[in-house]
Amino acid sequence: MEEINEFLHCGTPQAWIDAVAGDLPTLLIDHANCEKKAASTALNLIFRYIDKPELTMKLSKLAREELRHFEQVSTLMKKRDIAFEHVSASRYAGELRKGVRTNEPYRLVDMMIVSAIVEARSCERFEAVIPVLDEELAKFYKSLLKSESRHFQVYLNFAKKYSPEDIQPRVDFFLARDRELVESDDAEFRFHSGSPVKIS
């Protein structure tokens, strides 16, 4: 976690952590959705960049792990009688992806960087929620830290591998956007949302 905390430009606001206990069903539902989306992102990249076998093999394994996490969250929800309901997606990932360049290989590099940041932020949030959860959920989120931190490294290493230039300026660009989204007020509470505020 030290590497991830040094990588990200900010931590999760206390207001978001405080909201967790009051809306645990939404947290778990949206977390399950995030795991599905993470698997889908990996699969989409596999289909788009089929000419890069090292990338496709790594992302195939990563997609399987994300789906396994989805299954684990779903099992916990069932155990707690939390039904799947429609929960709108947070603005987070979509806003980050708006900055992705469209020409190759820069599109691939930016997608790797964005995916690395999403994984790093997920990992940071897993750690942030542990102190406010019950023993079962705290143990579960602690168990996710290792694999999610590995996913962060996979994406970041591929960004470096495929970039014709130093990636740090692009990393800083997307991390600045990550910080804006995480620290700003948010009308909705989601796994990757900013500080939740009540709208009157």
Side-chain angles (χ1 to χ4, degrees):
M1 283 305 300
E2 182 179 353
E3 183 178 10
I4 284 177
N5 290 331
E6 288 178 357
F7 174 73
L8 296 170
H9 286 181
C10 70
T12 290
Q14 187 61 44
W16 184 90
I17 298 172
D18 292 341
V20 169
D23 203 353
L24 199 54
T26 297
L27 179 80
L28 291 174
I29 292 169
D30 196 47
H31 178 193
N33 288 336
C34 287
E35 297 292 359
K36 286 189 291 184
K37 290 171 189 172
S40 177
T41 294
L43 289 172
N44 286 338
L45 290 166
I46 288 172
F47 280 108
R48 187 177 184 98
Y49 300 104
I50 195 65
D51 60 321
K52 294 176 171 54
E54 183 183 1
L55 176 72
T56 58
M57 290 300 290
K58 280 278 190 181
L59 294 189
S60 176
K61 180 180 180 181
L62 188 150
R64 291 196 302 273
E65 289 183 345
E66 301 288 17
L67 286 175
R68 176 59 181 152
H69 295 163
F70 163 71
E71 293 166 3
Q72 290 173 313
V73 179
S74 298
T75 298
L76 284 168
M77 288 172 56
K78 184 177 181 181
K79 184 176 181 181
R80 292 163 183 259
D81 294 322
I82 299 173
F84 265 105
E85 297 176 0
H86 175 71
V87 172
S88 59
S90 74
R91 59 185 178 158
Y92 178 78
E95 288 295 321
L96 280 181
R97 289 193 182 108
K98 284 182 179 179
V100 171
R101 292 169 289 185
T102 57
N103 54 319
E104 298 292 359
Y106 304 106
R107 182 188 185 280
L108 172 59
V109 173
D110 283 357
M111 283 299 298
M112 295 293 106
I113 293 171
V114 167
S115 296
I117 291 172
V118 172
E119 295 288 348
R121 179 58 65 191
S122 296
C123 203
E124 187 269 341
R125 292 248 154 137
F126 292 152
E127 185 180 55
V129 300
I130 288 172
V132 298
L133 297 175
D134 59 70
E135 184 178 353
E136 181 183 43
L137 283 178
K139 183 179 179 181
F140 169 64
Y141 278 104
K142 189 173 182 180
S143 75
L144 294 179
L145 291 176
K146 186 176 181 180
S147 61
E148 294 293 341
S149 63
R150 186 173 63 252
H151 295 173
F152 149 72
Q153 283 292 354
V154 166
Y155 280 118
L156 197 61
N157 287 340
F158 277 124
K160 294 173 183 176
K161 177 181 177 66
Y162 294 120
S163 180
E165 59 194 15
D166 179 20
I167 67 169
Q168 195 57 50
R170 295 301 292 170
V171 170
D172 290 338
F173 169 79
F174 285 111
L175 281 174
R177 188 64 182 126
D178 163 85
R179 182 170 190 164
E180 290 173 7
L181 292 165
V182 165
E183 291 188 335
S184 60
D185 291 341
D186 212 321
E188 297 179 312
F189 172 69
R190 298 290 185 268
F191 193 83
H192 286 115
S193 63
S195 295
V197 293
K198 292 183 178 179
I199 305 299
S200 57

